[in-house]
Amino acid sequence: NALQEMLFCPQKNALSILPALPERLEKGSVRGLVFPEGRVDIAWETGSEVVITVTATRPVDTGILLAGKDICRLTLDAGVRKTLHIPF
């Protein structure tokens, strides 16, 4: 759905987090967004931070993009969860 794609858009080599966040959504969270290798939870507050939790159901090797900016590379084994705290 369109709102989900504003918040999370998995791509071939990256997970795009908040690629098109509307300005009026200054604070919020979503849980359980699915991509082929797992799922992601996102919580954000403009002027504070974004908390991204990735849970791998299969091995993951992907980039993390936040609002179009390359943040990091994430490599996880199946069954592993990783939480990132990123200034936003």
Side-chain angles (χ1 to χ4, degrees):
N1 87 33
L3 180 57
Q4 179 176 326
E5 289 181 9
M6 285 190 242
L7 303 176
F8 176 65
C9 185
Q11 302 170 0
K12 183 176 181 178
N13 295 315
L15 300 178
S16 186
I17 309 294
L18 306 179
L21 183 67
E23 285 186 26
R24 67 179 184 258
L25 291 178
E26 295 177 2
K27 182 178 181 179
S29 65
V30 291
R31 296 181 54 103
L33 300 175
V34 177
F35 64 101
E37 294 84 15
R39 65 182 185 277
V40 66
D41 302 331
I42 307 164
W44 70 92
E45 184 170 354
T46 302
S48 181
E49 71 176 356
V50 174
V51 179
I52 304 164
T53 301
V54 178
T55 303
T57 55
R58 299 190 327 207
V60 174
D61 183 20
T62 190
I64 300 291
L65 304 175
L66 177 59
K69 296 178 184 171
D70 188 11
I71 299 299
C72 67
R73 187 111 199 128
L74 187 65
T75 302
L76 301 174
D77 292 326
V80 175
R81 177 181 300 173
K82 174 77 174 180
T83 299
L84 306 169
H85 295 262
I86 304 164
F88 187 60

